[in-house]
Amino acid sequence: MLLRPLASSLCVCALFISSSAFASELRMTPAVKAIQKAMPSVVNIHTEKTAEDADSLSPVKDRKTNGMGTGILVDERGYIVTNYHVVSGVETLRATLSDSSSYTARVISYDKKHDLAIIKIDASKPLSVLPLGTSSDLMLGETVFAIGNAFGYPDTITQGLVSALHRDVEVNEKQGYKNLIQTDASINPGNSGG
C-alpha cells in the first residue's frame, strides 16, 4: 500500500519537473537569447579625471571626478569600442567584464568628430566578441536593446524600438551628429558606448 502513494508522488514530481522545463524553454524567447549572447561582450567602463573647480571658494581648485560608460568587445585580444566622450581627458580607465574581472585600459585611438574611441585591455585569455551587424537594413519599429552601465549599475538592459532613421542632431554650435538611429529605449548616464 505504501508503494501506491509513493508512485503517485513520483509521477506528480516528474510531471512538475517536465512542465517546469517546458515553461523555461518557452521563456527562452529570441530576445532573451540575443541578450544572453551579447552580455559577455559588454564592458563596464569606470574613469577618473581631475576637474577644475573655478567657482569654488575652497583653496583646492582641482578635484577628482568619477565617470562611467559602456563598451563593446570587438576583438578577442581586448579591443573595445566606446564613445570618445567617455574616455576624453581621463587619467584612470578601468574596464570590467561580465565575469567581474577588471582591467586597466588604455586609449588606442579616437575620432572626436564621430564620438568614437578604441580602448584596449590586456587579458590573459581570448575574450568573447560581439558579432557586429549592419545598420543598413534596419526597419522602423524593429526591437532594440540598450545594454550597459546605466547609472553605474552594470549589465542594465532596456528595450525599445527603432523610432527613426537618418536623424541629424545639433548638440550646440560646435557639435552635431549626422545619420543617427533614434530609439525609444531608455538611455541613461553610463550607457554611452554600449
Side-chain angles (χ1 to χ4, degrees):
M1 290 305 238
L2 184 59
L3 289 177
R4 200 174 282 167
L6 182 60
S8 294
S9 295
L10 288 175
C11 285
V12 168
C13 233
L15 182 62
F16 177 74
I17 290 170
S18 172
S19 65
S20 291
F22 180 70
S24 291
E25 211 173 288
L26 287 176
R27 292 170 49 213
M28 289 297 287
T29 64
V32 171
K33 290 176 184 175
I35 290 166
Q36 288 178 349
K37 185 177 182 179
M39 290 298 277
S41 303
V42 177
V43 178
N44 298 303
I45 299 171
H46 306 278
T47 64
E48 188 177 275
K49 66 180 169 181
T50 302
E52 236 181 80
D53 201 357
D55 296 333
S56 173
L57 298 175
S58 167
V60 178
K61 295 293 182 191
D62 295 335
R63 60 184 168 81
K64 297 286 186 187
T65 60
N66 295 316
M68 60 194 155
T70 303
I72 302 296
L73 280 159
V74 293
D75 186 285
E76 66 182 11
R77 296 170 296 174
Y79 289 92
I80 300 163
V81 172
T82 189
N83 285 124
Y84 170 73
H85 73 265
V86 170
V87 300
S88 174
V90 302
E91 295 155 11
T92 305
L93 183 59
R94 286 208 67 74
T96 304
L97 306 183
S98 64
D99 65 2
S100 298
S101 59
S102 187
Y103 300 89
T104 299
R106 63 189 181 281
V107 177
I108 299 297
S109 185
Y110 60 86
D111 179 343
K112 188 175 180 180
K113 179 181 176 187
H114 293 101
D115 195 23
L116 291 172
I118 303 284
I119 64 174
K120 177 150 184 349
I121 59 174
D122 295 319
S124 58
K125 61 180 182 182
L127 300 171
S128 182
V129 175
L130 185 66
L132 296 179
T134 179
S135 60
S136 63
D137 61 353
L138 276 178
M139 296 181 287
L140 293 176
E142 279 193 287
T143 302
V144 292
F145 298 96
I147 304 174
N149 194 18
F151 294 115
Y153 295 106
D155 307 324
T156 300
I157 301 161
T158 59
Q159 178 181 351
L161 54 83
V162 176
S163 305
L165 299 169
H166 314 294
R167 287 278 193 230
D168 294 340
V169 177
E170 298 301 320
V171 178
N172 56 41
E173 291 176 5
K174 296 180 180 179
Q175 186 179 13
Y177 299 106
K178 304 287 184 194
N179 200 28
L180 295 180
I181 301 163
Q182 182 180 342
T183 176
D184 68 346
S186 294
I187 306 294
N188 299 296
N191 271 120
S192 292

